[in-house]
Each structure stands twice: as structure tokens, then as C-alpha cells.
């Protein structure tokens, strides 16, 4: 009995349409040189966790719901007296997505979550790190439809880092635009 393995919609589109088109657009010699996604990291800082442990539990629960994968507790690496933080105190939550979950999350982020941001005018095209990775900040976790608005006790933000194999920021921007990320100030956007 053969089992058919599920492949996300965005991954199929990348393999069949986006990858060959990027090879031609970026004038690369081989299809293997075309940039691809490596991982997506979600990070939620919970500074209130030093006083209230329930805040951290709620943040982990929300991040797990958003990502579809259990969030890890992040601990302080060093003590900071001004913030009353000691080394080893739990101060945040993190999830690293790879494979099918990564493509599913990016698809939900682009098609559902980003359009729900108030006064959204596109993503900052300057948020690349110089090595082909892109970071964006989300101010409210309630833009994700998985989060029940009535259950949220406190609105928190989270950081989303998209790691690619692109060698330059221009190649990474071309990849992310082709995958559907709406950058601000850019008129030409690929329609799916």
C-alpha cells in the first residue's frame, strides 16, 4: 500500500513555477544555484516572565498554536542588572520551522496574516541582513487566525526571521517576492 505524502501548496508552486523562473530572471547557470528557503524562526520575548510565570506559559501556548510546533523556552544568557534579569531566567519562546511546516507557515503569513495588519503598506525592503536573510516584526499576535481573540490576555509581538540560501540580498528579495511577500515601494509584484 503506497502512502501519498502531503506537499504544501507553496512548495509545489516553488518547485514547478518559481524556481525555473528565478533561474532565468537571475541569469544563473544551474537550477541548483537558485536560492531556496532553509528555515523560518519565530521568536517572542516575554520580559514580564521574570515576575509572572503564567505570562511565559501563555506565550509558549500562543507561539505553539501559531507555528503548529511546540515552542522552546529561551533563557537569559547573561545577567543584566538594569532589567533585573539573572543568567538562566526564562525570558522568551522560540520555534524553528523547517520543511513542510515552514512552507505552510509562510503561506499563511502571506495570504492571511499580513493582510490583517492595520494600516499595512508592505514590508520594509531594507530588513535584509546582507547575507540573504530577512527579518520582520509583527506587533500583534492576534493577526493570526489560529489565535482566539477572546482568550488573549495581553497583546504581544513576535519576530519572524526567514533564512535563505541566497548569497546576496537582491537574490533573496527576488525569491521572497516570487513567494508572495509584499514589499513596500515596489510596483511590480508577481501575481499568483
Amino acid at each position: 500500500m503506497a502512502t501519498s505524502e502531503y506537499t504544501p501548496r507553496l512548495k509545489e508552486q516553488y518547485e514547478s513555477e518559481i524556481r525555473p523562473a528565478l533561474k532565468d530572471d537571475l541569469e544563473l547557470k544551474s537550477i541548483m544555484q537558485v536560492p531556496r528557503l532553509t528555515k523560518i524562526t519565530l521568536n517572542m520575548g516575554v520580559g514580564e516572565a521574570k515576575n509572572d510565570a503564567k505570562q511565559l506559559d501563555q506565550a509558549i501556548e500562543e507561539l505553539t498554536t501559531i507555528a503548529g510546533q511546540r515552542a522552546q523556552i529561551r533563557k537569559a544568557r547573561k545577567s543584566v542588572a538594569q532589567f533585573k534579569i539573572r543568567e538562566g531566567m526564562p525570558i522568551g519562546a522560540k520555534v524553528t520551522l523547517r520543511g513542510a511546516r515552514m512552507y505552510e507557515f509562510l503561506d499563511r503569513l502571506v495570504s492571511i496574516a499580513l493582510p490583517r495588519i492595520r494600516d499595512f503598506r508592505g514590508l520594509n525592503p531594507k530588513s535584509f541582513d546582507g547575507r540573504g536573510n530577512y527579518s520582520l516584526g509583527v506587533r500583534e499576535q492576534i493577526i493570526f487566525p489560529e489565535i482566539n481573540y477572546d482568550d488573549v490576555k495581553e497583546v504581544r509581538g513576535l519576530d519572524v526571521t526567514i533564512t535563505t540560501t541566497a548569497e546576496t540580498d537582491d537574490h533573496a528579495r527576488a525569491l521572497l517576492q516570487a513567494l508572495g511577500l509584499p514589499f513596500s515601494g515596489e510596483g511590480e509584484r508577481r501575481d499568483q
Side-chain angles (χ1 to χ4, degrees):
M1 184 170 137
T3 58
S4 63
E5 194 169 310
Y6 168 74
T7 46
R9 175 180 71 137
L10 194 60
K11 184 174 184 177
E12 283 180 14
Q13 185 179 4
Y14 171 75
E15 295 292 339
S16 63
E17 300 170 22
I18 297 171
R19 199 170 184 191
L22 278 177
K23 178 184 177 275
D24 297 337
D25 292 348
L26 300 176
E27 298 173 357
L28 300 172
K29 294 176 185 170
S30 170
I31 195 87
M32 297 305 289
Q33 290 178 310
V34 176
R36 64 184 183 279
L37 296 178
T38 307
K39 64 182 177 180
I40 295 179
T41 309
L42 308 175
N43 185 27
M44 187 182 281
V46 189
E48 309 87 45
K50 64 182 179 224
N51 300 329
D52 188 9
K54 290 180 183 176
Q55 295 276 343
L56 184 65
D57 293 339
Q58 186 178 4
I60 288 173
E61 185 181 315
E62 289 172 356
L63 201 55
T64 300
T65 304
I66 291 169
Q69 180 175 314
R70 181 79 178 146
Q72 297 175 325
I73 296 174
R74 304 305 295 161
K75 296 186 177 184
R77 286 184 272 178
K78 63 181 187 177
S79 301
V80 181
Q82 287 180 331
F83 298 122
K84 298 179 182 168
I85 293 175
R86 300 280 167 255
E87 185 178 342
M89 285 178 85
I91 56 168
K94 163 189 134 165
V95 175
T96 302
L97 302 172
R98 292 180 184 355
R101 283 195 183 124
M102 169 183 68
Y103 282 102
E104 282 293 330
F105 174 78
L106 188 63
D107 197 11
R108 282 187 289 123
L109 179 73
V110 169
S111 58
I112 299 171
L114 290 179
R116 293 177 65 169
I117 295 176
R118 273 183 280 149
D119 299 331
F120 182 68
R121 292 193 178 95
L123 298 173
N124 184 359
K126 296 179 182 176
S127 292
F128 288 92
D129 68 349
R131 288 173 285 183
N133 304 319
Y134 185 74
S135 297
L136 67 110
V138 177
R139 292 186 184 179
E140 301 172 333
Q141 83 274 31
I142 55 176
I143 64 167
F144 292 96
E146 299 88 16
I147 301 294
N148 188 354
Y149 186 77
D150 298 331
D151 295 341
V152 173
K153 291 182 178 66
E154 187 170 333
V155 175
R156 281 190 201 84
L158 64 120
D159 299 320
V160 179
T161 303
I162 302 170
T163 307
T164 68
T165 60
E167 295 183 12
T168 65
D169 288 347
D170 293 332
H171 287 195
R173 184 179 292 110
L175 169 68
L176 295 179
Q177 266 185 316
L179 288 171
L181 263 71
F183 290 103
S184 63
E186 302 191 16
E188 80 237 35
R189 212 181 109 211
R190 233 179 247 252
D191 292 332
Q192 276 84 20

